[in-house]
Amino acid sequence: MSTTTPGPAGLESSRPFHTREVPAIVDELDVDPRAGLATVEASRRLEQVGRNELVETGGTPPWQIFFNQFTDTMVIVLVVAAAIAAAIGDVKDAIVILVIVILNAVLGFVQEYRAERAIQALKLLAVPSVRVRRDGGMVADVPAVDIVPGDVVLLEAGSAVPADARLFEATSLQVAEAALTGEAYAVDKTTGALSDENLNVGDRRNMVYMGTSVTHGKGAAVVVATGMGTELGHIATLIQAIDRSATPLQRRMAQLGKGLAIAALGIVAVVFVLGLVRGEELREMFLTAIALAVAAVPEGLPAVVTIALSLGAQRMLKREVLIRKLPAVETLGSVTVICSDKTGTITQNRMVATELATQSGVENLVDVEVAEADREKPTWLALAGVALCNDSVLGQGPVDHVGDPTELALAVAAQDAGLAKAALDEQWPRIAEAPFTSERKRMTTVHEVPDQMQPVVGSRWVAMTKGAPDGLLDLAESIWLESGPTNLTAELRAATEQTNADLADAGRRVLGVALRPLDRPPADEEVEALEDGLTLLGVITMVDPPRPEVPDAVRACRRAGIRPIMITGDHPLTARRIAADVGIGDGGRVITGAELNEMDDAQLAEAVPEVSVFARVSPEHKLRIVSELQDQGQVVAMTGDGVNDAPALRKADIGVAMGITGTDVSKEAGGMVLLDDNFATIVKAVREGRTIYDNIRKFIKYTMTSNSGEIYTMLLAPLFALPLPLTAIQILWINLVTDGLPGLALSFEPSEKNVMDREPYAPNENIFGRGMARHILWVGLVMGLVSLLSGVFFYNADNIAWQTMIFTVLTLSQMGQAMSVRSDHESLFTLGLRSNKPLLGAVLVTLALQLMVIYWGPLQRVFNTKPLTAGELGFALAAATIVFWVVELEKLIRRRRARHRTVAT
């Protein structure tokens, strides 16, 4: 977005404000920065440009969100099924279906209503009031919503920035822009114009933006954009422009619903016509056909999906993942690409000093230990220098440390090497200082030198300076070698410059340290003038190191067929190095935001499959990358913590916000929150997501196979010269007890062994894919034939025990099917009966209920059953196990084929 805005006269600036000099800007905005706007003029502009606030547009009203829950095909099928069940007298089944539908609608409403609240969280970043210059230079506090272009705002440490503004005064000004740009540390601000028109927000050092805050120093700026014209407003516009697409599971459920609706109508027609052809009673055949159609609809599916997702959300919470939108649980299992931020997610979000480069060479600070005997060496002096020229305070542990992250890293490095900062501060008392400024890019402190070190330093007082290496090199006259200080010759200068360049090119942050002996102790105001004639001691490199568990997590992603991509606002060299350290990409090409600006959609489409690291990106860039990946058929998970991440989090198939560093805006836009901000936790969550989808498929496989068994039983009975094998009430009973507890218990099935060693399932894959449809048809046929043959074996036209036999074998066969579908590959004897105790309990309860229907008088009359003899019951139990053994045989064949393929490859 270009930081231009209509001026008070309605003319738009032709160039971005960060590239223009302040006099030109204030002239266009018609304001004297020393006097500010007149109150009357500010009121006129307020009426012209509107209030300084974010405007919410296009929101869906709550009533419409709730109504939309009933437009899903599967829900419509269930409502029709409930109506038919009520019409044929099965009120209980109708009530159960309607309760499931209503609970599902309430849950969906809550999830979608919360998803609409991202803009509300964005509004919370607004500032209640702000200090401005008005009416000839008078300082006044005015409501932030009344700020207009041309207002002069005054900033100091702790101030929140109320609008986008161009700085014209900045004294040691640092602004925390992490929420907007993703930068981990406060940014030093300047006032000079910048030449590059295409700079990202994070690189516009002379601008301040709504939603950011001042951490250090003070400044003054003229407002150039307010409300929806700000960068924050632009992000709000992006968020509101994004239409949420259905999750892979929601698409598959819609597909299933349409298929079931067609199947149910077909079943009604076929069974009804066949019954009439055989001479069955019209009313009985109508009720039976309708009952069979109702039975064909797995009314327990919405409940199973909800329970599976809820259980997954509970398990994820134990793994430091908070699920905000329940469908996100399953979406994780379909993810093919994880787009991750760098800072805090892949890295530890803390600076660590790693190397010290002196003229003696580059040393790994982990291996450095200094002793009193080394105090004449550059390593000792450099570490002492960065500890002394340092305002941080080290506590008992990391959580007790206080200070700037960079200074803490330096103090910790010195302490780990044997130079405790507290002891140095006591031995080398500070007597004067010149604080760091963004103009000088350095800090200097003056110390009294201990007696034993005076011969080494060559004076009683010494100035210690740390700052940008190139700046210190320009001020240096000598350099400290192993033998002591020596003149900085052209050769030594060139060698030092090369070392600094090599370290910086490796993606490390570098900081130089130098000293200067003094003849007398200066006053504070004299210290800056002493930053000359320095003696260089060395250069220290610092990094935000990768989390130790991330490389393993990246490898796990690759095994699981998931491609990790790093998208960061950080420097491209740093991004490349961290990516290489953790195994993302191949250390090759990094695309920057500036390059993305030059790419058209075709070029981006060509680059996205090849490039795994993007640096210095803006919100639009993240959105483009995510959109392009989705256009190429990928299911995208996007991590983020800042306001700038919200559009991409909302656009992604699953937005993953950070729990520790994340803003409320990012959490509202995302579907889940990482409570530990750890990339490795995403991979654990993917495992849960895959398990949940597997369990939903197992339920569908189980219930649809059972339903097909019932249909085969009804359709094939005439081939065996049998009358109507099941009554309408018996069909509904089978549907109720088998789709009930056993089906729900499949939600508790633990992960299969290979769940993270396979490719993710294609997002457009049919829910009946990978052999499920074939299994439903042929195992259902076996179930129907076994049930019918059992009835034939005991058939007696004068005794309905044969019908009870079919009824019982069919019901119990489905229990064997429930136990066998727990895994597509592993045998039940490998899994163990007790590895899913809820399912084992559900099977036993269903068996008990079926026995009650057979042997308890009141239920016998309701379900038209006859008690089976002990021999008949034993036969029924044995026959019912056939389906179990057939499915186990199918899995055995599949395992052997898999082994043969493995051997062949």
Side-chain angles (χ1 to χ4, degrees):
M1 177 187 173
S2 176
T3 40
T4 60
T5 189
L11 298 174
E12 186 171 298
S13 309
S14 59
R15 289 167 49 210
F17 285 111
H18 69 271
T19 66
R20 305 171 64 199
E21 297 293 348
V22 172
I25 294 172
V26 298
D27 183 58
E28 179 177 338
L29 292 172
D30 193 19
V31 63
D32 180 352
R34 294 167 298 178
L37 293 174
T39 300
V40 174
E41 174 62 14
S43 298
R44 187 188 69 79
R45 295 187 184 189
L46 182 63
E47 186 175 338
Q48 179 184 356
V49 301
R51 286 160 65 89
N52 178 35
E53 61 185 1
L54 303 183
V55 179
E56 202 167 348
T57 60
T60 307
W63 67 266
Q64 188 175 341
I65 294 174
F66 186 71
F67 176 77
N68 288 343
Q69 306 307 311
F70 297 94
T71 60
D72 181 77
T73 307
M74 188 71 194
V75 172
I76 293 172
V77 169
L78 289 173
V79 171
V80 172
I84 293 173
I88 64 175
D90 186 19
V91 178
K92 290 182 180 178
D93 213 16
I95 291 173
V96 168
I97 295 173
L98 288 177
V99 167
I100 289 171
V101 167
I102 291 170
L103 288 176
N104 195 60
V106 170
L107 181 67
F109 168 79
V110 171
Q111 299 295 329
E112 288 191 34
Y113 181 71
R114 290 176 66 182
E116 296 289 327
R117 295 183 56 81
I119 302 302
Q120 294 293 329
L122 206 59
K123 287 182 175 180
L124 295 177
L125 293 174
V127 185
S129 65
V130 62
R131 185 160 290 185
V132 299
R133 283 184 195 150
R134 280 189 180 174
D135 298 319
M138 295 179 61
V139 176
D141 288 330
V142 301
V145 293
D146 294 340
I147 293 295
V148 294
D151 258 323
V152 175
V153 296
L154 305 179
L155 304 170
E156 59 185 11
S159 298
V161 180
D164 291 4
R166 173 70 160 83
L167 287 163
F168 62 87
E169 293 176 9
T171 305
S172 302
L173 185 65
Q174 294 182 329
V175 178
E177 297 182 338
L180 192 62
T181 66
E183 286 283 357
Y185 306 112
V187 178
D188 298 314
K189 292 295 182 177
T190 60
T191 59
L194 303 169
S195 59
D196 188 350
E197 292 191 9
N198 296 316
L199 287 177
N200 288 319
V201 171
D203 294 323
R204 299 172 192 165
R205 299 302 175 96
N206 56 12
M207 298 286 296
V208 289
Y209 295 98
M210 177 192 277
T212 63
S213 58
V214 178
T215 61
H216 188 268
K218 59 183 180 179
V222 59
V223 173
V224 297
T226 59
M228 295 301 285
T230 63
E231 289 292 333
L232 206 61
H234 180 55
I235 291 172
T237 302
L238 290 176
I239 292 174
Q240 293 177 121
I242 295 168
D243 292 325
R244 284 193 174 274
S245 59
T247 68
L249 181 62
Q250 288 168 334
R251 291 194 291 268
R252 288 164 179 150
M253 290 297 103
Q255 184 186 55
L256 176 62
K258 292 173 184 175
L260 288 176
I262 294 170
L265 291 174
I267 290 165
V268 169
V270 171
V271 172
F272 184 68
V273 170
L274 286 178
L276 292 181
V277 169
R278 288 159 47 203
E280 300 286 353
E281 184 187 348
L282 178 66
R283 182 179 183 279
E284 180 65 23
M285 279 316 304
F286 176 75
L287 292 178
T288 301
I290 293 297
L292 201 57
V294 171
V297 177
E299 68 267 18
L301 182 57
V304 167
V305 169
T306 300
I307 290 171
L309 295 176
S310 299
L311 290 172
Q314 291 177 21
R315 289 194 294 266
M316 286 185 183
L317 189 58
K318 295 176 182 177
R319 296 175 179 266
E320 302 295 326
V321 175
L322 174 65
I323 297 298
R324 295 191 61 261
K325 301 178 180 100
L326 213 50
V329 180
E330 181 277 331
T331 306
L332 275 169
S334 304
V335 161
T336 59
V337 176
I338 298 176
C339 296
S340 177
D341 191 16
K342 176 184 70 67
T343 304
T345 309
I346 290 175
T347 64
Q348 298 178 31
N349 197 21
R350 66 183 184 95
M351 295 303 291
V352 175
T354 54
E355 295 165 313
L356 171 60
T358 66
Q359 283 302 308
S360 303
V362 179
E363 300 176 272
N364 189 328
L365 285 172
V366 174
D367 304 322
V368 171
E369 284 189 32
V370 294
E372 200 66 24
D374 302 317
R375 61 189 184 183
E376 296 182 19
K377 306 293 185 184
T379 299
W380 195 101
L381 290 168
L383 289 171
V386 295
L388 290 166
C389 187
N390 192 315
D391 289 330
S392 66
V393 178
L394 299 186
Q396 294 296 316
V399 295
D400 303 315
H401 297 340
V402 178
D404 176 82
T406 299
E407 293 199 327
L408 284 172
L410 297 171
V412 169
Q415 181 167 279
D416 290 347
L419 295 175
K421 176 171 169 49
L424 286 171
D425 287 339
E426 186 176 342
Q427 297 162 10
W428 300 62
R430 185 186 299 189
I431 56 177
E433 63 183 284
F436 175 89
T437 64
S438 54
E439 291 76 20
R440 289 163 44 245
K441 295 185 179 179
R442 57 184 175 271
M443 169 185 178
T444 298
T445 55
V446 178
H447 303 266
E448 187 174 340
V449 181
D451 292 343
Q452 69 271 25
M453 287 297 296
Q454 289 178 17
V456 176
V457 174
S459 176
R460 184 179 171 186
W461 299 278
V462 68
M464 292 290 190
T465 301
K466 74 173 191 296
D470 52 350
L472 296 190
L473 196 58
D474 291 341
L475 299 171
E477 292 181 354
S478 58
I479 188 167
W480 205 290
L481 306 180
E482 285 293 304
S483 56
T486 188
N487 287 336
L488 186 61
T489 64
E491 278 187 44
L492 287 172
R493 180 181 294 273
T496 302
E497 287 175 342
Q498 187 60 52
T499 299
N500 295 348
D502 290 344
L503 293 172
D505 288 346
R508 293 166 174 79
R509 186 177 179 184
V510 292
L511 195 72
V513 57
L515 62 76
R516 175 182 172 178
L518 302 176
D519 297 330
R520 62 178 181 84
D524 283 345
E525 61 271 14
E526 299 176 303
V527 174
E528 275 192 42
L530 301 175
E531 292 174 338
D532 200 4
L534 301 177
T535 300
L536 282 178
L537 297 173
V539 171
I540 290 181
T541 67
M542 284 168 291
V543 297
D544 178 8
R547 291 176 178 266
E549 61 273 24
V550 168
D552 286 340
V554 170
R555 284 190 288 272
C557 278
R558 297 195 183 285
R559 284 197 307 273
I562 300 170
R563 179 186 171 205
I565 295 177
M566 181 190 291
I567 304 178
T568 178
D570 215 333
H571 194 280
L573 292 175
T574 304
R576 177 187 283 120
R577 183 186 60 77
I578 294 294
D581 287 347
V582 299
I584 293 177
D586 54 5
R589 185 181 178 193
V590 176
I591 292 182
T592 65
E595 292 175 90
L596 286 169
N597 287 335
E598 302 299 321
M599 287 184 175
D600 58 26
D601 290 344
Q603 291 171 318
L604 180 62
E606 203 174 298
V608 158
E610 305 297 329
V611 178
S612 296
V613 183
F614 298 84
R616 282 287 191 252
V617 293
S618 68
E620 296 100 318
H621 298 145
K622 294 182 180 183
L623 203 54
R624 282 189 71 195
I625 294 166
V626 170
S627 297
E628 182 54 46
L629 286 166
Q630 290 175 325
D631 289 345
Q632 295 182 12
Q634 305 296 330
V635 178
V636 183
M638 173 76 194
T639 76
D641 55 5
V643 173
N644 62 322
D645 295 321
L649 288 173
R650 192 176 176 90
K651 175 66 176 173
D653 296 282
I654 171 70
V656 184
M658 302 296 109
I660 299 173
T661 60
T663 59
D664 287 342
V665 180
S666 65
K667 292 173 185 176
E668 291 291 347
M672 59 179 268
V673 180
L674 293 185
L675 300 180
D676 61 357
D677 290 11
N678 194 335
F679 178 86
T681 304
I682 303 175
V683 182
K684 297 175 186 175
V686 168
R687 181 186 185 91
E688 285 294 341
R690 290 189 173 189
T691 300
I692 288 162
Y693 180 56
D694 285 350
N695 288 349
I696 291 171
R697 270 180 54 91
K698 287 169 187 174
F699 172 80
I700 294 172
K701 186 177 185 178
Y702 159 69
T703 190
M704 296 305 294
T705 302
S706 300
N707 292 351
S708 73
E710 298 164 29
I711 294 167
Y712 277 125
T713 301
M714 300 298 291
L715 293 179
L716 299 180
L719 298 179
F720 296 93
L722 289 175
L724 198 65
L726 296 171
T727 65
I729 192 68
Q730 287 173 343
I731 293 171
L732 293 173
W733 168 259
I734 295 173
N735 195 46
L736 179 64
V737 297
T738 59
D739 278 7
L741 292 177
L744 293 175
L746 284 170
S747 304
F748 293 84
E749 191 63 32
S751 302
E752 296 201 41
K753 291 179 181 178
N754 69 335
V755 72
M756 289 298 285
D757 293 323
R758 59 167 170 79
E759 296 282 320
Y761 299 139
N764 58 351
E765 177 193 67
N766 191 295
I767 195 104
F768 294 113
R770 285 177 284 119
M772 185 195 287
R774 183 174 61 251
H775 175 96
I776 289 171
L777 292 174
W778 85 265
V779 175
L781 178 61
V782 171
M783 190 180 295
L785 288 174
V786 168
S787 302
L788 285 172
L789 290 172
S790 299
V792 169
F793 188 74
F794 287 94
Y795 181 71
N796 183 336
D798 298 325
N799 188 340
I800 62 169
W802 67 271
Q803 196 177 47
T804 303
M805 177 63 71
I806 292 176
F807 178 38
T808 302
V809 171
L810 185 57
T811 302
L812 299 185
S813 291
Q814 294 180 24
M815 296 304 96
Q817 161 79 354
M819 299 300 288
S820 61
V821 298
R822 288 181 53 193
S823 172
D824 287 336
H825 302 278
E826 298 294 327
S827 167
L828 175 65
F829 303 104
T830 302
L831 297 173
L833 285 173
R834 300 178 64 184
S835 57
N836 187 341
K837 292 178 182 177
L839 179 58
L840 180 60
V843 168
L844 294 175
V845 168
T846 302
L847 174 61
L849 290 172
Q850 183 66 20
L851 292 177
M852 287 177 64
V853 167
I854 298 172
Y855 294 108
W856 190 33
L859 290 180
Q860 286 177 346
R861 289 188 291 274
V862 171
F863 290 98
N864 197 26
T865 60
K866 289 292 182 182
L868 301 176
T869 65
E872 290 170 338
L873 180 61
F875 179 91
L877 290 171
T881 66
I882 292 175
V883 170
F884 169 79
W885 293 114
V886 164
V887 177
E888 285 293 316
L889 178 62
E890 176 191 38
K891 291 192 288 186
L892 176 63
I893 294 170
R894 189 180 291 129
R895 288 196 300 273
R896 288 187 173 177
R897 285 178 178 171
R899 278 198 295 269
H900 290 157
R901 283 195 298 269
T902 302
V903 170
T905 55

